[in-house]
Amino acid sequence: MTQFYKHWRDVPGDAWRWPNFTPSEIACKGDGSLLVDAGSLDKLQEVCQRLGKAMTLNSAFRSPAHNKAVGGEPDSQHRTGKAFDVALTGAFTRAQLHAASKAAGFTGFGDYDHFVHIDTGPARTWDRRTS
């Protein structure tokens, strides 16, 4: 199930069931809009539970304009609310994040220098680390 909000502040408190995240964390960093993909957020919450640690998200939902502004792929899973870029802050390793995300049902994995992209789109992997 997906639900769109013009701004994250429009999300009713009783509609938010993911305790490790806030609507503002998942919302578009460009205009504050929010597309909630409940299944993907359920999986993200499960990753937190499996890791036993909080996660910092660099990016989640992106509006079409913001996705273009940041150089995102035109068909990015971020535009559907199914993708999350998880910062590697030292609280867990890249390998731990991959394992927990796979166990939770994520299918798309992209490795970057300081974060890991996870999504529930088509199964695929890529590595864009420079070091």
Side-chain angles (χ1 to χ4, degrees):
M1 177 181 145
T2 60
Q3 176 69 44
F4 179 77
Y5 298 93
K6 286 185 90 170
H7 198 275
W8 63 263
R9 289 187 198 98
D10 299 334
V11 178
D14 62 352
W16 195 259
R17 65 175 196 251
W18 303 279
N20 287 99
F21 304 96
T22 63
S24 64
E25 288 177 281
I26 305 301
C28 177
K29 304 293 187 231
D31 65 7
S33 63
L34 175 60
L35 180 63
V36 173
D37 182 89
S40 297
L41 281 169
D42 288 344
K43 289 173 177 41
L44 187 67
Q45 183 65 44
E46 183 179 337
V47 173
C48 274
Q49 292 166 336
R50 289 179 175 277
L51 290 172
K53 312 247 182 191
M55 295 190 298
T56 300
L57 300 179
N58 293 340
S59 182
F61 173 67
R62 292 183 196 152
S63 68
H66 185 65
N67 188 64
K68 185 176 181 178
V70 299
E73 295 292 327
D75 60 349
S76 171
Q77 294 297 314
H78 286 283
R79 292 189 51 205
T80 65
K82 297 179 179 184
F84 311 95
D85 292 343
V86 182
L88 294 172
T89 62
F92 43 81
T93 66
R94 184 181 302 273
Q96 289 170 322
L97 178 57
H98 272 269
S101 299
K102 286 178 186 174
F106 282 92
T107 50
F109 299 90
D111 286 306
Y112 296 83
D113 289 331
H114 303 290
F115 69 93
V116 174
H117 168 102
I118 57 176
D119 69 51
T120 58
R124 69 220 184 283
T125 61
W126 63 94
D127 190 335
R128 298 219 176 106
R129 290 178 280 180
T130 59
S131 51

